[in-house]
Amino acid sequence: MDWDEVRIFLAFAREGSFSAAAKRLGIQHSTVSRRIQALEKKLATPLLERSASGYELTRAGEELRISAYRIEQELLSFEAASAGQSNEAVGELRVTAIANMASTILMPIFARFSAANPNIDLRIEVTNDSVRLAEREADVALRQTNAPGETLIGTRLTTVASAVYGSVGYCKAYKSGQFDEKWIGVDCCDYHRTWTKQACPTNEHAFCVDETSLTVAALKEGLGVGYLPCFLGDAEPTLARAREPEQQHDLGLWLLYHRDLRNVKRVTLFREHMQREIKQLVDIFEGKQEAIR
Amino acid sequence: MDWDEVRIFLAFAREGSFSAAAKRLGIQHSTVSRRIQALEKKLATPLLERSASGYELTRAGEELRISAYRIEQELLSFEAASAGQSNEAVGELRVTAIANMASTILMPIFARFSAANPNIDLRIEVTNDSVRLAEREADVALRQTNAPGETLIGTRLTTVASAVYGSVGYCKAYKSGQFDEKWIGVDCCDYHRTWTKQACPTNEHAFCVDETSLTVAALKEGLGVGYLPCFLGDAEPTLARAREPEQQHDLGLWLLYHRDLRNVKRVTLFREHMQREIKQLVDIFEGKQEAIR
DNA sequence: CCGACACTGTGCAAATATGCAAAACGGTTT
DNA sequence: AAACCGTTTTGCATATTTGCACAGTGTCGG
């Protein structure tokens, strides 16, 4: 029995299709298909069967999935332990961050880390949906939240304040009482969706976006007002605050990683780097206007 | 990371050399060497280092060995469970038996099982040293013992009686008091060695053998007397009992297998077959002379 | 001290697995 | 019903891995 086929099967069981599994594994779907076939043949047991929508695991397949998961955990924790021992700042470090942050304020920080640690190849990946660090989809996750997962450990880097923004022109006209505020419908994350709903209970939006960068662009066009993290809104000279930030909209910026990685050099280095750098930007994140002017 | 490399590493860690690992895995030693090299490269951690005699595992290697062992257990128990579910009498059944039995009295029984179950490919392997059923070196073991391992389960098929044999001519001459009995030195198993020592405390042997079939041949030549299982000694017309079997020399014949395999069809079938067949041969095994005459 | 032996590393040819592209299939939409 | 999308399967050329043979090295025993 080829143990590597179990790894491939696990990817398939997670993703639900050969194609998706292949994509994650970075191999061809035909290979996934063939190797799972080979596995079934060797075990003399079908592991999956066609169903109405996609595939469904058989009982044996389900059990193998569980076993494979345990094996994965076993190997991941071994890898983490062995990396912790060698204690060298080498290897790959996969960081997942939120799009709007990674492409703006964080990028120079990443760049400096990379320059300071040339032997660590840093891979930044943008993922807005929650990433499964237990399965090591990434080594480190940067997340905005007030309730970080329990099984993960990490640091609260800073507080991210948000406020209501509009274009400079829009805000001026609005404040002089020319018309009611129009809210842009946002669907980029749970927080912004909820806050918008609270601020604009009628839920009437003439314009909707599902991505923070689109919110910025829409606001610039004078289409209305909407929530933005201050570090984004304040950085745009054509935008102005329609309301000042409120504490209830504060979010923690967390740097999270799996317990097993807590002693791995490249992770601790990255954590310390982020803490140092973010500390200098705390005013920007917390929306202290003085920091801008 | 290729999980299959962990499997190969485990074999290496067990056997202590590339060659031996390759032999057990049924692949080339160069492959073992290359894949372990590849594994070390991927982990960026040395797993083994040269030492005075052979290789020695590094700390990381030792940990990987432990992880790999757990993984193996995980997969073996999955395989057993999945085979148990399908409940079909198909697949490979690896039986390990003692040489002198397998080649004589048991062979017709194996043959009948094979004929009755054409979809099970039966592999008989002769191993005198204790086999590790936990690592599934075999599915079923046939062993002579009075203390079967605790972690294994199985059935006591019958009692194997042993007696002292010599050639017909030798026994006749000896019984008529022409000379003292000469003991052949045997080293085929702990039991025979111990018994021989007890019977012949001087430990003076003009002729020594280390295999039961050699004992038979030596006895036939009239070289002396020695212990044989009755089913072997009685089957040889040119041999006669120098002494009758004693109860203290009785051994249990056990059919042993791993707990996980207790519900696997091909194993239960084999067990039942063996029980049925051996029951008919109980007189031969217990050395009841009437059975022969 | 030398030869026999067993083990590991390397070059090359053969076997095997992979990627790629096209075809087949199922489900959904127009 | 037809066209489309995403997915899986299949055939084929290529890339990789494996086995094999040989060379190099260390150990053991005479």
Side-chain angles (χ1 to χ4, degrees):
Chain A
M1 177 172 181
D2 186 335
W3 288 10
D4 208 44
E5 280 163 359
V6 178
R7 183 174 65 91
I8 291 172
F9 175 80
L10 176 61
F12 167 82
R14 281 217 182 95
E15 300 294 330
S17 83
F18 291 156
S19 311
K23 199 169 161 189
R24 171 176 299 197
L25 294 171
I27 58 175
Q28 217 68 17
H29 38 251
S30 46
T31 303
V32 176
S33 163
R34 283 186 279 231
R35 297 205 70 173
I36 289 181
Q37 274 178 32
L39 184 58
E40 286 182 303
K41 196 173 168 186
K42 269 174 241 170
L43 294 171
T45 311
L47 296 170
L48 41 100
E49 55 189 6
R50 288 195 166 287
S51 80
S53 61
Y55 282 90
E56 193 138 341
L57 297 187
T58 62
R59 197 156 139 55
E62 196 57 49
E63 274 167 29
L64 182 57
R65 196 179 65 80
I66 294 167
S67 288
Y69 180 75
R70 288 207 205 100
I71 291 171
E72 183 188 59
Q73 293 301 317
E74 185 72 48
L75 287 176
L76 285 174
S77 75
F78 162 75
E79 279 182 314
S82 97
Q85 266 169 35
S86 79
N87 222 27
E88 282 180 84
V90 295
E92 190 183 80
L93 181 70
R94 288 172 309 155
V95 176
T96 175
I98 321 152
N100 64 57
M101 283 202 174
S103 63
T104 59
I105 194 166
L106 295 184
M107 190 50 76
I109 304 182
F110 293 155
R112 281 191 286 275
F113 180 79
S114 192
N117 301 279
N119 289 324
I120 298 180
D121 35 320
L122 188 62
R123 321 229 155 172
I124 308 294
E125 206 177 331
V126 163
T127 45
N128 283 315
D129 42 332
S130 77
V131 140
R132 290 181 290 202
L133 259 56
E135 290 148 19
R136 222 67 94 243
E137 287 180 26
D139 297 316
V140 176
L142 288 163
R143 284 284 173 271
Q144 277 185 154
T145 179
N146 286 322
E150 312 77 37
T151 61
L152 300 173
I153 59 175
T155 323
R156 194 177 195 278
L157 292 173
T158 184
T159 297
V160 179
S162 288
V164 181
Y165 286 85
S167 72
V168 173
Y170 186 92
C171 285
K172 196 181 279 177
Y174 163 68
K175 278 181 179 158
S176 65
Q178 294 182 12
F179 45 76
D180 288 343
E181 58 186 8
K182 266 198 305 190
W183 284 85
I184 292 186
V186 293
D187 199 23
C188 63
C189 64
D190 284 339
Y191 296 116
H192 284 178
R193 186 169 35 247
T194 309
W195 299 345
T196 307
K197 212 168 202 167
Q198 283 168 0
C200 174
T202 61
N203 218 20
E204 283 171 4
H205 304 296
F207 197 84
C208 288
V209 295
D210 75 337
E211 229 276 305
T212 309
S213 62
L214 295 177
T215 313
V216 174
L219 294 179
K220 278 168 149 180
E221 292 297 324
L223 289 167
V225 295
Y227 280 100
L228 277 186
C230 292
F231 74 85
L232 270 185
D234 293 344
E236 292 288 343
T238 58
L239 293 185
R241 294 185 181 177
R243 298 188 199 166
E244 287 306 299
E246 296 171 41
Q247 208 176 348
Q248 56 171 315
H249 296 148
D250 284 353
L251 288 172
L253 176 62
W254 286 80
L255 185 152
L256 301 167
Y257 44 89
H258 193 278
R259 273 197 77 77
D260 290 348
L261 296 174
R262 68 189 178 283
N263 292 322
V264 174
K265 194 73 178 178
R266 54 182 193 273
V267 171
T268 56
L269 275 175
F270 185 73
R271 187 194 62 214
E272 287 157 14
H273 176 83
M274 293 303 290
Q275 285 177 312
R276 256 196 320 273
E277 294 264 9
I278 298 281
K279 194 179 283 177
Q280 298 175 13
L281 302 176
V282 68
D283 286 347
I284 295 179
F285 276 108
E286 292 183 357
K288 305 257 170 68
Q289 284 281 350
E290 314 85 65
I292 315 293
R293 288 180 197 137
Chain B
M1 177 173 179
D2 186 334
W3 289 10
D4 208 44
E5 281 164 358
V6 178
R7 183 175 64 91
I8 290 172
F9 175 79
L10 177 60
F12 168 81
R14 280 216 183 94
E15 299 295 331
S17 82
F18 291 155
S19 310
K23 199 169 162 190
R24 171 177 298 194
L25 294 170
I27 59 177
Q28 217 67 18
H29 48 252
S30 47
T31 304
V32 176
S33 162
R34 284 187 278 232
R35 297 205 72 174
I36 290 181
Q37 273 178 32
L39 184 59
E40 287 183 303
K41 196 172 168 187
K42 270 175 240 167
L43 294 171
T45 310
L47 295 170
L48 42 100
E49 54 188 7
R50 287 195 166 288
S51 80
S53 62
Y55 284 89
E56 193 138 339
L57 297 188
T58 63
R59 198 157 140 53
E62 196 56 49
E63 274 167 30
L64 182 58
R65 196 180 65 80
I66 293 166
S67 288
Y69 181 74
R70 288 207 204 98
I71 291 171
E72 182 187 59
Q73 293 301 317
E74 185 71 49
L75 287 175
L76 285 174
S77 75
F78 161 76
E79 279 182 313
S82 98
Q85 264 168 38
S86 79
N87 223 26
E88 281 179 85
V90 295
E92 190 182 83
L93 182 70
R94 288 173 308 155
V95 176
T96 174
I98 320 153
N100 66 56
M101 284 201 173
S103 63
T104 59
I105 195 167
L106 295 183
M107 189 52 73
I109 304 182
F110 294 154
R112 281 191 286 275
F113 180 80
S114 192
N117 301 279
N119 289 324
I120 298 180
D121 35 321
L122 189 62
R123 320 229 156 172
I124 309 294
E125 206 177 330
V126 163
T127 46
N128 283 315
D129 43 336
S130 77
V131 141
R132 290 182 291 204
L133 260 56
E135 291 149 18
R136 221 71 92 243
E137 287 180 25
D139 297 316
V140 176
L142 288 164
R143 283 284 172 272
Q144 277 186 153
T145 180
N146 285 322
E150 313 77 38
T151 62
L152 300 172
I153 56 177
T155 323
R156 194 177 194 278
L157 292 173
T158 183
T159 297
V160 180
S162 289
V164 182
Y165 286 84
S167 72
V168 172
Y170 186 92
C171 285
K172 194 181 281 178
Y174 164 67
K175 277 180 180 157
S176 64
Q178 296 183 11
F179 46 75
D180 289 343
E181 58 187 8
K182 264 200 306 190
W183 285 85
I184 292 186
V186 295
D187 199 24
C188 63
C189 64
D190 285 339
Y191 297 115
H192 283 178
R193 187 170 32 246
T194 309
W195 300 345
T196 306
K197 213 167 203 168
Q198 284 168 0
C200 174
T202 62
N203 218 21
E204 283 170 7
H205 305 296
F207 198 85
C208 288
V209 295
D210 75 340
E211 231 275 306
T212 309
S213 63
L214 295 178
T215 313
V216 173
L219 293 180
K220 279 168 149 180
E221 293 297 323
L223 289 167
V225 296
Y227 281 99
L228 279 185
C230 292
F231 73 86
L232 269 184
D234 294 342
E236 292 289 342
T238 58
L239 293 186
R241 294 184 181 176
R243 300 187 198 166
E244 287 305 300
E246 296 170 42
Q247 209 175 348
Q248 55 171 316
H249 296 147
D250 284 353
L251 289 171
L253 177 62
W254 287 80
L255 184 152
L256 300 166
Y257 44 89
H258 193 278
R259 274 197 76 77
D260 289 349
L261 295 174
R262 67 188 179 284
N263 292 323
V264 174
K265 193 73 177 178
R266 55 182 191 274
V267 171
T268 55
L269 276 176
F270 185 74
R271 187 193 61 215
E272 288 155 12
H273 176 83
M274 293 303 291
Q275 285 177 313
R276 256 196 320 274
E277 293 264 10
I278 297 283
K279 195 179 282 177
Q280 298 175 13
L281 302 176
V282 68
D283 287 347
I284 295 179
F285 276 109
E286 293 183 356
K288 304 258 170 67
Q289 285 280 351
E290 314 85 66
I292 314 295
R293 287 180 197 136

